[in-house]
Amino acid sequence: MGKVTTILKAAAKFGPVVYPVVKKGATMLRENPELAKQAQRILDGLTKARAARSRPEGLRRSVDVLRGQAQRALATASTPGEVTRAEGWLAQADKLDGAIELMALHDRKGQTTDAAAIEARVEELFAQIFTALVEQDGDSPRLPPA
């Protein structure tokens, strides 16, 4: 139970989108230690990404973590729906990268607003990817280990 509690505490740092999704999957995390390790790796990656010196760099690193998970999902997709979903995540990551680049064109207040919107979208994508992670196809997770 300690591992899942740690995961929940880490998820709570990411806001109102991520925490409820992780909490909803807590039962599956308790029942599947490998799934819990994978979830912990993803959250650790996002936590490290946010620790960057600058906000744009932290956002870029967060998007890179999500992109890596989407690429793993695409590599192991077994149905056209899974392929489409993973490609959608990759397209969203590309859009977020573009939005991060455009932040530099705005004044400080505009950059703050843009960064908040990008962070919110990163959290939404994390929630989608995490949900896919805990969805089970029989006894095996749909996404491969990180």
Side-chain angles (χ1 to χ4, degrees):
M1 175 151 150
K3 182 87 170 162
V4 175
T5 302
T6 302
I7 292 169
L8 287 171
K9 285 181 182 178
K13 295 176 186 174
F14 288 96
V17 175
V18 173
Y19 180 74
V21 171
V22 174
K23 186 171 180 163
K24 194 177 212 181
T27 302
M28 287 187 213
L29 295 174
R30 284 187 184 97
E31 294 170 358
N32 187 339
E34 187 56 40
L35 186 62
K37 287 179 189 174
Q38 186 176 351
Q40 184 66 52
R41 280 187 227 122
I42 295 169
L43 285 168
D44 288 346
L46 286 173
T47 301
K48 288 177 186 174
R50 285 199 170 172
R53 289 181 180 245
S54 71
R55 196 166 189 187
E57 183 60 27
L59 292 170
R60 277 188 205 94
R61 289 180 182 183
S62 295
V63 171
D64 286 344
V65 170
L66 295 176
R67 181 178 284 111
Q69 292 304 312
Q71 288 169 338
R72 285 186 182 91
L74 182 59
T76 61
S78 59
T79 67
E82 290 175 358
V83 169
T84 301
R85 180 175 62 186
E87 288 173 344
W89 291 333
L90 289 171
Q92 288 296 314
D94 291 342
K95 287 180 183 179
L96 288 170
D97 279 336
I100 293 167
E101 294 302 318
L102 291 174
M103 278 176 49
L105 300 175
H106 297 124
D107 62 7
R108 179 168 239 123
K109 185 176 180 182
Q111 288 180 11
T112 301
T113 303
D114 291 347
I118 292 168
E119 284 177 354
R121 185 65 187 134
V122 165
E123 289 176 6
E124 289 171 13
L125 285 174
F126 171 83
Q128 291 174 13
I129 292 171
F130 184 81
T131 299
L133 174 70
V134 297
E135 285 178 350
Q136 300 258 327
D137 190 13
D139 286 327
S140 61
R142 289 182 180 218
L143 295 183

